Amino acid sequence: FYVEGNRPKAIDEGRYALRLDPQNRDAATLVASLYAEAGERDQALAAIDEVLARLGPAERESLRRVRVSLLVGFGSGAWESGRGG
């Protein structure tokens, strides 16, 4: 759905993947990125934070980097303008 440009359906599929595997970092990154593209800061960060809370310390680093990238993008105005990042 992501490749087709159907962002709402891609978010639904990502959320479904997270229900099946609550520690799925790829699904969390996809969902967060899609929310960020839509300018939905709180939902983007929540998607990352939900999975971060379920991971052990050794597995958190990649998602922490995604979270920092989201915050930088929102801080620069890149996500709010719909440009993506």
Side-chain angles (χ1 to χ4, degrees):
F1 295 105
Y2 177 80
V3 174
E4 296 170 3
N6 187 341
R7 301 303 196 242
K9 190 68 174 169
I11 288 172
D12 289 345
E13 290 295 309
R15 287 276 180 205
Y16 179 71
L18 287 169
R19 283 193 299 279
L20 294 176
D21 177 6
Q23 296 182 347
N24 187 325
R25 290 175 283 187
D26 292 332
T29 300
L30 173 66
V31 170
S33 297
L34 291 168
Y35 278 131
E37 286 177 8
E40 299 289 339
R41 177 186 184 274
D42 292 342
Q43 289 179 303
L45 295 174
I48 295 295
D49 291 343
E50 288 171 14
V51 176
L52 275 173
R54 296 181 184 113
L55 295 174
E59 298 133 346
R60 290 185 185 139
E61 187 59 30
S62 64
L63 277 187
R64 282 191 185 123
R65 290 174 193 248
V66 171
R67 192 175 199 288
V68 167
S69 294
L70 289 170
L71 289 169
V72 168
F74 280 114
S76 70
W79 293 116
E80 286 90 349
S81 67
R83 292 180 292 162

